[in-house]
Amino acid sequence: MPHPHDIADLRARLASGDGPQVWRSLEAVAETPAFRDFLSKEFPSASRLADGPDRRQFFRLMAASFALAGLSACSADPSNPRNHEIPYVRNPERVEPSATLAYASAALLDGVANGATVTTFDGRPLKVEGNDRHPWSRGGTDVFLQASILDLYDPLRAQTVLYLGRISSWDAFRGATLGRFAAIRADGGEGLRLLTGPLTSPTLLASIDAMRAAYPKMKWHVHAPAAGEALAGAAAAFGRPLQARYAFDKAEVVVALDGDFLDAGPAQVGTSRAWALARQASAKAGKLLTLHSAAPTPGLTSAKADFHVAVNASDLPDIVARLGAEVGTPTEPAAGDLVGQWVKRAGAALAAARGRGIVTAGAAQPAAVHEAVHRLNGALGNHGGPAFFTAPVVAAAEPFDALVHDMQAGAVKSLVMLDTNPAYTAPGDLNFVEAVQKVPLRIQCGTTVDETSAYADWHLPRAHPLESWGDARAWDGTVSLYQPTVYPLYNGRSDLEVLSILVDPQPRDGLAILRDFHARGRDPATFDAFWRRTLLDGFVADTAFAPETAILAPAGPTPARPARDPKLLDVVFRPDPTVWTGGSANNGWLQELPKPLTKVVWSNYVAVSPALAEREHLATGDMVRVAVGEGSVEGPAWVMPGQAPDTVTLYLGYGRAVPDMLFSGLGYSAFPLRASATPGARPGATLTKLGKQIRLATTQDHSTMEGHDLVKLHRVGGAEVESFPTDAPSFYDFTARKGEDDGRAWGMVIDQDACIGCNACVVACQAENNIPVVGAHEVSIGREMHWLRVDRYYSGLKTGAGLDDPDTHFQPVPCMHCEEAPCEVGCPVEATLHDHEGLNLMVYNRCVGTRACSGYCPYKVRHFNYLDYTGGMAPVTQLQRNPEVTVRARGVMEKCTYCVQRIASARIESDKSGAPIADGAVQTACQGACPTRAIAFGDLKDQGSAVLAARKDPRNYALLGELNVKPRTTYLAELAPADPAARAGDPPPTRKG
């Protein structure tokens, strides 16, 4: 259980220099007995089981590991009707046995597309990658795109039509609704409403228009739980809704007011890539593009900021006004006024870069803040340059609260819901559940039987995008197509096909609807060529939205804001960074993905500041009640460095009430506390400690590398980064291996400045390498299986903020593939060894589970599969397994292999063609997934390779380089402004003495 922390003592230790220079958690700073005990044991789970009455159970489990691993493959499941397979008599067209095919497609988040390619093997989709040709995503991905393949194979997806909770059929649905909708059509659609999630699909919007034509009095509403008020703010500023976009390559400074352009969301992939490219280019030019962030709760954007400050949510409107005043009339803040110092610095930077700056507001900010930000950018001359505007990519519809009010009034007679779950995600003040029960006919089409399904007369199984035809726009407006890569597993239908049932005399399939729409206005003689090219590309060329002229409208009167009661708290609501608003909650990869800043898995939490924790005597894991208005939620506290002092953060996506699902019973639901008028935040909250604790599963203190240089800074225009000598003596003698070489030397370089900590690489590695999900309990005792982790470190001790607002650093850590690897010395059976290309490999059928290699590894990147985590997988889920990667038996050590199966494929092709492996021909899964292209991989002996060029960069350094194990994976130090006050004013972190 967590130990209470004396926050004042932690601050004192950090300020005095007695604490660590770089730290991972409050436990690490406090160095509690529990934390020291955890570090002293490589496998805390083993010591835990070996104590007391569970000792016998521990040895019984270990003794059985070898016997059970061999038996699991021999068992037969009599309940599985597919107990035999019939081979092809003639191969289907384009299908070669054991050969992969790739299809251009797209993945959707809140209706917005990111370009993707889907790799299939013998007709089974296996892996989703980025699409290098897509003009928005440019090959990048996010965690939701990477995990979408697991959603396809979810055995708990909706699998049949349900009527009043009983199994029915599509034919029965059509038969039952023909007469009903004929009567609705005769009445002009009076009382008919369509409710969807956010939509960008041109074809689906055309189908909705066709439905409106058939039912003229019908109304279409959109429910978007994570949308925010950005468009409303633009409408107030410009007289019409516009979507803000940013040209970072034209900027010298970015000021983010609760900005989230690097955080998870529909725009993350393309925006973060543009940011990383602009940052790199500015560093080469000698003038770093700097980021200033003020936010009530930390996120990836504030974590990457060069200058940051934590401000309460209620104070952000004042921050905008103060920035505007500072640009015109500089002020001198009082000593110790961290917010004032931040405003002065950010205002001066904006004033010095007029026409070359960007001010952003986060999606959760109210319309008034967005409007004020647009007016500030306009006053600075930034519009049309670094800040520009396009038409909104998400289509406008009637508001959701108007639908609820009409249902309450009895004006809605029939309700059709597509891909939306308002019984769970609606704000609490709307009372959606009460209202929907007043509607006589309720139809829902969804991917799972969810909270709303309990109130639907008809539930229709919705097809996954990877098994259906459709399109959607990317954040830049590019129309992206997705196509089926497998026949629908559960006879689901797409949204297009469901609307066709309700509108067309004879329902059409999705392909016919999609083709007919894209054929409009095109020459029939050239359409087939266009269609083929579009399917191959995955998008319709030249469909991105052009910038529009944005002219500021006259400003209205500034509404008076009541002063914040200092005795009360602000509550801010944020989508969870791994399960978003709950739509991905049944995805085991995302549930077990450590959240970027806290590394918590399988739950949400209540984020509180160190100052609030000190005031209320809270420790991480204490159960608290957050109350605002007439509602309250209870959840475990998490003491969050960088959190504003009087702000608590509630995360959406948990607390779901559907039984027998993966997400059942996890966390709390924050939706009932949201207000429809102010969905991003609510003032006037109270927090109460409940006097009990729970243990949150987190990986933050696992695999700790203490007392070394971990992250480094490279000041642009300042001193160069420290270099380690290359001729230091080694502990190990590898002279017997010298000369074993076939001309290639694979290596990797990770740019820590480009890494935004998004974790796309972690999910990609899991998908590629058949890494199992182990569950919250196993993670809590140190048994997580991820081959790649992204460590989060804090630093910054001398600014006066320290514990309350530290700097944040991200460091991806795969296997280092050391040239002089200690693990190879430790293995008694040579299960881990080097090959001729310098790869440190694992021979799984040779491993006997001594775990000595992990004890010898200074980077702690090896994982032992204590249990048979994959043996009980549902048959449909097993279809996702990569056949080129061994599914490991229980009782062996696992680790990163640099995706050796991809290297082997390239080697085979090279041997067949006689041509060398070209640079870039091999991409590791983590490298291909990264939205910012922070990872370079290739042959270090190829003089023209990108990885060798990165190795020669002056920022390059080896993690734990003083150990001289010669890692093949190295790092590029983070960039920082030459200003000594930047990044907390500390020199690069040094080893603790």
Side-chain angles (χ1 to χ4, degrees):
M1 295 294 290
H3 288 261
H5 300 129
D6 184 337
I7 302 295
D9 178 66
L10 298 185
R11 287 200 185 95
R13 292 195 66 208
L14 290 174
S16 67
D18 186 46
Q21 297 262 344
V22 180
W23 41 285
R24 296 179 68 168
S25 68
L26 299 185
E27 290 283 352
V29 180
E31 295 185 327
T32 61
F35 178 71
R36 299 307 311 177
D37 182 65
F38 188 95
L39 293 182
S40 69
K41 300 180 176 69
E42 177 65 24
F43 300 103
S45 52
S47 63
R48 181 174 179 270
L49 280 173
D51 292 334
D54 289 332
R55 175 182 171 86
R56 184 174 299 173
Q57 176 192 3
F58 170 71
F59 286 111
R60 188 164 57 243
L61 288 172
M62 293 305 295
S65 62
F66 297 103
L68 294 182
L71 293 176
S72 60
C74 302
S75 62
D77 182 1
S79 65
N80 182 5
R82 292 191 60 186
N83 54 15
H84 66 280
E85 300 293 339
I86 300 175
Y88 293 135
V89 176
R90 180 177 299 168
N91 280 346
E93 182 183 3
R94 295 181 293 117
V95 173
E96 296 181 30
S98 301
T100 59
L101 291 174
Y103 296 85
S105 188
L108 308 183
L109 180 63
D110 281 357
V112 180
N114 276 311
T117 57
V118 184
T119 301
T120 67
F121 180 90
D122 287 351
R124 294 182 291 125
L126 295 180
K127 183 72 170 61
V128 182
E129 308 273 10
N131 183 348
D132 290 334
R133 292 180 290 183
H134 195 282
W136 170 250
S137 55
R138 292 187 282 180
T141 70
D142 61 11
V143 296
F144 306 105
L145 184 149
Q146 287 292 333
S148 62
I149 192 74
L150 193 62
D151 289 332
L152 172 68
Y153 293 113
D154 183 0
L156 299 178
R157 278 174 57 197
Q159 301 186 11
T160 185
V161 175
L162 299 177
Y163 177 63
L164 299 179
R166 297 183 177 181
I167 293 176
S168 186
S169 67
W170 285 102
D171 288 341
F173 169 71
R174 175 162 168 75
T177 55
L178 270 175
R180 187 69 173 267
F181 274 82
I184 295 173
R185 188 188 296 257
D187 199 22
E190 184 68 40
L192 174 62
R193 302 298 175 91
L194 175 66
L195 176 64
T196 70
L199 292 185
T200 67
S201 165
T203 305
L204 187 53
L205 292 172
S207 295
I208 292 175
D209 288 340
M211 191 173 182
R212 282 169 161 167
Y215 308 99
K217 298 179 182 179
M218 182 199 86
K219 291 184 179 180
W220 165 43
H221 304 260
V222 165
H223 176 44
E229 302 179 65
L231 293 181
F238 304 112
R240 59 192 175 113
L242 291 171
Q243 179 172 294
R245 297 270 307 282
Y246 310 113
F248 294 114
D249 58 336
K250 298 180 180 179
E252 294 180 3
V253 59
V254 178
V255 176
L257 301 175
D258 196 19
D260 54 6
F261 60 87
L262 297 179
D263 289 77
Q268 181 190 45
V269 174
T271 306
S272 60
R273 178 71 179 279
W275 162 260
L277 288 173
R279 177 104 166 164
Q280 292 163 6
S282 69
K284 290 180 180 178
K287 185 175 177 60
L288 188 65
L289 170 61
T290 56
L291 174 58
H292 303 245
S293 171
T297 190
L300 300 186
T301 305
S302 62
K304 296 299 294 183
D306 302 290
F307 307 94
H308 47 82
V309 69
V311 296
N312 292 312
S314 295
D315 297 333
L316 272 169
D318 290 337
I319 297 294
V320 186
R322 291 176 65 180
L323 269 176
E326 184 69 30
V327 167
T329 307
T331 60
E332 191 62 38
D337 180 7
L338 298 181
V339 175
Q341 293 169 9
W342 181 90
V343 169
K344 178 177 178 61
R345 183 183 298 276
L350 289 172
R354 290 179 181 271
R356 303 182 306 281
I358 298 172
V359 185
T360 75
Q365 283 303 298
V369 171
H370 285 278
E371 178 187 1
V373 163
H374 293 317
R375 295 190 183 280
L376 179 56
N377 272 321
L380 289 167
N382 297 331
H383 287 170
F388 64 99
F389 302 89
T390 68
V393 68
V394 177
E398 299 283 339
F400 174 65
D401 55 356
L403 168 66
V404 180
H405 295 153
D406 286 350
M407 291 193 300
Q408 289 281 17
V412 180
K413 306 302 180 185
S414 304
L415 176 63
V416 179
M417 297 173 281
L418 301 180
D419 190 28
T420 184
N421 183 18
Y424 168 65
T425 58
D429 63 340
L430 291 181
N431 296 317
F432 174 85
V433 169
E434 175 187 316
V436 76
Q437 295 180 75
K438 298 180 179 181
V439 180
L441 177 62
R442 306 180 291 270
I443 301 169
Q444 183 204 27
C445 178
T447 54
T448 61
V449 177
D450 55 28
E451 290 84 350
T452 303
S453 305
Y455 305 99
D457 301 309
W458 289 93
H459 176 81
L460 311 175
R462 183 172 181 265
H464 190 279
L466 296 182
E467 55 186 14
S468 56
W469 291 96
D471 60 9
R473 290 190 183 273
W475 193 250
D476 68 342
T478 298
V479 176
S480 309
L481 269 61
Y482 52 90
Q483 56 183 308
T485 54
V486 67
Y487 190 81
L489 300 178
Y490 303 123
N491 196 28
R493 306 285 177 90
S494 68
D495 295 339
L496 292 172
E497 293 166 329
V498 171
L499 291 188
S500 181
I501 292 174
L502 301 178
V503 176
D504 296 329
Q506 186 61 40
R508 298 184 296 160
D509 64 37
L511 175 58
I513 299 170
L514 189 67
R515 277 183 60 99
D516 288 351
F517 173 80
H518 286 280
R520 295 178 186 177
R522 297 188 183 275
D523 184 353
T526 61
F527 176 74
D528 284 345
F530 156 80
W531 186 246
R532 178 175 176 78
R533 171 50 53 192
T534 297
L535 291 180
L536 289 173
D537 290 342
F539 58 90
V540 182
D542 303 321
T543 52
F545 288 155
E548 298 192 7
T549 302
I551 301 175
L552 288 167
T558 303
R561 282 193 314 111
R564 184 176 65 83
D565 187 337
K567 297 179 181 178
L568 299 177
L569 306 172
D570 292 336
V571 177
V572 297
F573 303 92
R574 294 291 185 269
D576 186 85
T578 60
V579 303
W580 200 235
T581 56
S584 301
N586 220 48
N587 190 302
W589 292 349
L590 295 179
Q591 286 284 9
E592 199 155 291
L593 180 66
K595 303 184 195 306
L597 292 175
T598 64
K599 306 303 175 185
V600 170
V601 299
W602 291 98
S603 182
N604 56 356
Y605 44 84
V606 179
V608 301
S609 66
L612 182 58
E614 184 177 19
R615 192 163 70 231
E616 299 294 333
H617 306 288
L618 292 174
T620 290
D622 282 338
M623 289 295 293
V624 296
R625 179 184 297 115
V626 178
V628 59
E630 298 181 356
S632 65
V633 299
E634 296 180 3
W638 182 276
V639 182
M640 175 79 81
Q643 181 87 358
D646 297 313
T647 297
V648 298
T649 305
L650 302 181
Y651 290 92
L652 309 174
Y654 284 90
R656 300 191 57 183
V658 182
D660 301 323
M661 301 292 276
L662 197 64
F663 53 71
S664 300
L666 299 177
Y668 62 85
S669 175
F671 286 108
L673 236 59
R674 295 182 94 187
S676 55
T678 56
R682 291 186 69 179
T686 60
L687 181 142
T688 306
K689 184 176 179 180
L690 298 180
K692 54 184 178 180
Q693 280 195 338
I694 69 169
R695 180 175 182 170
L696 287 166
T698 175
T699 66
Q700 183 54 39
D701 288 324
H702 299 178
S703 307
T704 297
M705 301 175 290
E706 281 199 306
H708 294 272
D709 295 325
L710 302 170
V711 293
K712 290 179 175 291
L713 298 184
H714 176 88
R715 298 199 181 279
V716 176
E720 298 295 336
V721 70
E722 175 188 3
S723 298
F724 285 108
T726 59
D727 56 352
S730 172
F731 287 113
Y732 310 106
D733 181 12
F734 287 90
T735 55
R737 202 174 62 212
K738 302 301 182 184
E740 295 183 357
D741 188 346
D742 70 351
R744 284 187 284 264
W746 300 104
M748 178 178 286
V749 177
I750 301 174
D751 186 344
Q752 290 187 240
D753 194 72
C755 175
I756 60 172
C758 70
N759 281 329
C761 55
V762 179
V763 186
C765 177
Q766 187 162 23
E768 173 73 18
N769 293 296
N770 300 331
I771 298 173
V773 172
V774 303
H777 173 70
E778 293 294 295
V779 173
S780 69
I781 58 176
R783 294 179 177 178
E784 70 273 8
M785 295 300 298
H786 290 127
W787 290 3
L788 167 66
R789 68 178 189 267
V790 181
D791 287 339
R792 186 270 295 127
Y793 293 102
Y794 291 128
S795 70
L797 316 178
K798 301 181 177 65
T799 62
L803 190 68
D804 300 279
D805 191 19
D807 291 336
T808 306
H809 313 273
F810 297 110
Q811 186 171 60
V813 184
C815 174
M816 297 289 130
H817 290 268
C818 308
E819 293 184 31
E820 300 190 355
C823 59
E824 297 176 22
V825 176
C827 182
V829 293
E830 293 190 352
T832 179
L833 72 168
H834 256 64
D835 72 358
H836 290 181
E837 295 178 337
L839 297 177
N840 178 255
L841 303 179
M842 275 297 303
V843 183
Y844 296 118
N845 62 359
R846 189 182 290 175
C847 178
V848 295
T850 64
R851 292 165 287 156
C853 58
S854 186
Y856 277 66
C857 174
Y859 302 100
K860 305 306 175 192
V861 290
R862 291 168 170 265
H863 299 274
F864 187 71
N865 54 357
Y866 284 89
L867 302 177
D868 185 11
Y869 298 118
T870 62
M873 292 174 66
V876 67
T877 308
Q878 295 181 33
L879 295 176
Q880 188 278 325
R881 289 174 171 172
N882 187 349
E884 295 185 335
V885 178
T886 303
V887 178
R888 280 75 63 186
R890 172 187 177 187
V892 301
M893 193 64 70
E894 304 184 15
K895 70 167 195 73
C896 158
T897 65
Y898 273 169
C899 290
V900 65
Q901 66 279 2
R902 297 189 177 195
I903 295 174
S905 296
R907 187 189 302 122
I908 291 169
E909 292 301 316
S910 174
D911 291 344
K912 287 162 57 177
S913 66
I917 300 175
D919 186 43
V922 180
Q923 278 199 344
T924 62
C926 56
Q927 175 192 17
C930 181
T932 62
R933 291 299 183 257
I935 301 175
F937 177 79
D939 183 0
L940 291 169
K941 292 190 175 181
D942 181 351
Q943 296 302 309
S945 67
V947 69
L948 183 60
R951 274 287 187 107
K952 295 178 179 178
D953 191 294
R955 293 190 288 145
N956 186 72
Y957 74 97
L959 180 63
L960 307 185
E962 64 270 32
L963 301 182
N964 199 35
V965 293
K966 297 182 173 60
R968 283 282 179 89
T969 296
T970 57
Y971 296 84
L972 299 184
E974 283 186 71
L975 298 172
D979 185 341
R983 304 294 280 176
D986 286 339
T990 57
R991 182 172 180 171
K992 178 183 175 183

